[in-house]
Amino acid sequence: MKTFYRTLTFTLLAVFLFHTDCILALSGDKFISHTPEPGSFAIVENSTPVNIYVDENDYRGLLKTVDSLQTDIKKITGVEPAIVHSTDTLGAEAVFIGTIGRNRVIDELILNKKLDVSGISGKWESYTIQTVTEPVPGVTRGLVIAGSDKRGSIYGCYELSEQSGVSPWYWWADVPVPENKAIYFKNRKIINGPPKVKYRGIFLNDEEPALGRWAVEKYGGFTHEFYEKVFELILRLKGNYLWPAMWWASFNSDDPLNPELADEYGIVMGTTHHEPMMRAHAEWKQSKGGAWNYETNEETLKKFWADGIKRMGDYESIVTLAMRGDGDEAMSRETNIKLLEKIVKDQRDILGSATGKEVTEIPQLWALYKEVQDYYDKGMVVPEDVTLLLCDDNWGNVRRLPLPGTPPRKGGYGMYYHFDFVGGPRNYKWINTVSIPRVWEQMNLSYRHGVDRIWIVNVGDLKPMELPISFFMDYAWNPDEWPAERLPEYTRIWAEQQFGKEHSAEIATILDEYTKFNSRRKPEMIGPDTYSLVNYREADRIIDEYKKLAERAQKLEAKILPEYKDSYFELVLHPVLAGAILNELHITTAKNRLYAAQGRAAANALAEKVEKLFRKDGELSYKYNRVIAGGKWNHMMDQTHISYTGWQQPEKDEIPEVEQIDLPESPEMGVAVEGMENWWPGNEETAASLPEFDNYNRQTYYIEVFNRGLVPFEFRAEAGASWINATPQEGTVDEQQTIKVSIDWKKTPKGTHDNSIEITGPYGNSVNIELKVKNHAKPETEDINGFIEGNGYISVEAEHFTNAVNSDDIKWATIQGLSRTLSGIITEPVTKSVEKPGNDTPVLEYRMFFHTKGEIEVHTYLSPTRNIYNSDGLHYAVSFDDETPGIVNIHENDRAPDWYYPPVWSEAVGKNIKEIISKHYISEPGWHILKYRMVDPAIVLQKIVVNTGGLKPSYLGPPESFYRITEQKKPLQAQ
């Protein structure tokens, strides 16, 4: 059966002043056009729509969806098709929508062999769209949308809407619906479904104050009016499952229409990992039932749970089993496995007696969340029909997966994933920090290990997670449709769906870059000490990257037509500006504190800049809340995100502490150099020296001449050799002046040279800056094929290998964007390991030229992947040249129970990297080959840094060293 993804449709092109008839889809068949072609079926033509027939005995959720389709067509064309329940007055052509077994006309067409449903009949959530000749008397041709079940029919309707030009985010992100005068179905047979993952949904983690205060203001709480919007969004995204808001709300009791409406729409309801038996935690608080403790309060809890199951009735649900501590806390350390098993047995007894059904046929899950996974690892028994809901570590790293070859279970496996989290090492819930490549890598890992029954993702307040929610749902529908190499295409198509084709490529680039930048470290974890101010110009590079991205986003915003401004701000501009402002705020704070310690006059101006940036952050949130879409999203940007001191959010954003200093009424020179926090002439015990220069990396370094007083002064910079360039050589310093230092390599003699630059200021005071310049004779330029050591290190991005070798059944794959700096490399299939690294092991080779010899360190930068098999750890091997590969266990130090947030784990998820150091020995200078060998799957290599003695502390590691790859040997088969 031919499967295809939910289609993304774009007719915004007309709005952008040019026309095309190409309707873009994420994948699969593109079956809607706005211009006719031979044999096409006119849904709307010449401002005349055809009628839509739906059987009034079909599912109420489908009838609601047909109403939505009617509205969507009117938004697009300005005319509204009639919805009829009789075939008497349909006209010459008509649309027929219905569910097999619930629509009289469709059932008769199947019976008369006019409609072929063999591709969907009896299958889960599938649909077909095709034309039929003379479907009923008086109708010459009909367009039929037939579903295998309720949701199949609904998905078919929303697919037509989406391909016609209505984004699933038309309401939740204010995406305009472009106008077109006609809608045509290209005459072909469409089959879609069943989805590869059975249950696909979101969890509204309604942490205050954003979503909760917004819902209260707009709807009086989490009422059925609120959930109508959520249900529709889920269905338009081809999802089917929801964990509702739960911290102070109760889905079932706050508004009795909530569960009834969910059932009508076809939304499968559940409760979170700590709310068993379809009862909200808020209900237990309201019931005042005593201790949430099964050992001391068993009967009260049983009755509480039984009432929840009775209320559930026949509504389509997945029942959460087991028990955690009160308020999503761990149960006591003394909790034993036998108690949990007894709780589940008693709950299943309640399920059977309260429903009168065979308990093994009722969908149930047991979430292995935090400490519960430890119980499972120690032998806790889970009934075969219960879905094991595996979990990530709350930071997007899957914790446990079935071992390859594990026999299938009747209940299968699910995955609970996070885009938002409240807990250690720190909350993150303000803006979108989700990298699509990382979601792909972890969910691909899950799916290939057989996790395909339930995918549920914590989306926090829903906004502003629009992009990753779309991807999560699309990928769950059919992971095979989105291999790693298509990920950039996904973002482009998604951008085109929201904004049209003209700017989609540029918008996609901005989306990809901001999510990479924001995912390097959660904004709530960024502080003045995050980035290095003196090494590798890291802090300045961070600011520069964000500023350039913000300029691109703002420049593009000026070109966006007025009706798209709100959507563009919500989906693109806001997260870019928010990340840029926050990073600059903390880096400016750090500079203020450093400058104050050095007595720089510029410290006071930076204190004022911090205050300005803090106000700018608040103004940006105000615009999102109170200005965009006329204040529609008030409170959605109320999450605090500045001045965290622990894992929990501060009550309000506080401006970071800055320092103001008093300055003398006279000039006083200070000098600082790149790579050192000291200043001169105040630190004579330490020599002022710039990092090393070499003729391959051709570095440019800076010297800062600054004023420690209020009166300007003149300075002069005099180099000790004519081939040393210092720009400018003289000038006036009000607050500070940057001197750029470089080398004229054409004039520099070969060899190693110690030289200096003398800075002279007021009163004849001077500072001597030492320079070490290495103009190497080797390697010759024509011999370079690899990386060259410089300044005490070699820094390599993973994808810049000089040679890659596959084995017979394992290959290397590059995932663009899966890195803090460039990309990541994995092995495929992700379920296959090697027994022992050797000559036939997949290997990446990095050719490097060393000017030095002796003991070195290899710093291997890996994604913070967890020990997914509960083994002694995942391994890789690293070696140089022909030495025996040294096997490295990336989880060797991960020994503490991980729900207590051990320091090693906290550091890895905080930095979004796992840095592993191994020691090696280089016997002679010259060319050597670093060999990175695959041992276990699931490891993602991002970067390698070889420390030959000069590596300095930084967050991202040093920039990539000079390299030239004359011929990159793409993956070959091992011999």
Side-chain angles (χ1 to χ4, degrees), residues 671 673 688-690 703 755-759 767-771:
V671 176
V673 299
S689 61
L690 286 170
I703 299 170
N755 217 297
S756 64
I757 294 176
E758 185 177 38
I759 310 296
V767 174
N768 195 61
I769 313 297
E770 296 178 355
L771 281 71

Side-chain angles (χ1 to χ4, degrees), residues 929-948:
I929 297 176
L930 185 152
K931 298 179 180 181
Y932 172 89
R933 285 182 169 87
M934 179 262 187
V935 179
D936 287 315
I939 296 177
V940 182
L941 176 65
Q942 295 190 13
K943 184 173 181 174
I944 295 173
V945 177
V946 179
N947 179 15
T948 61

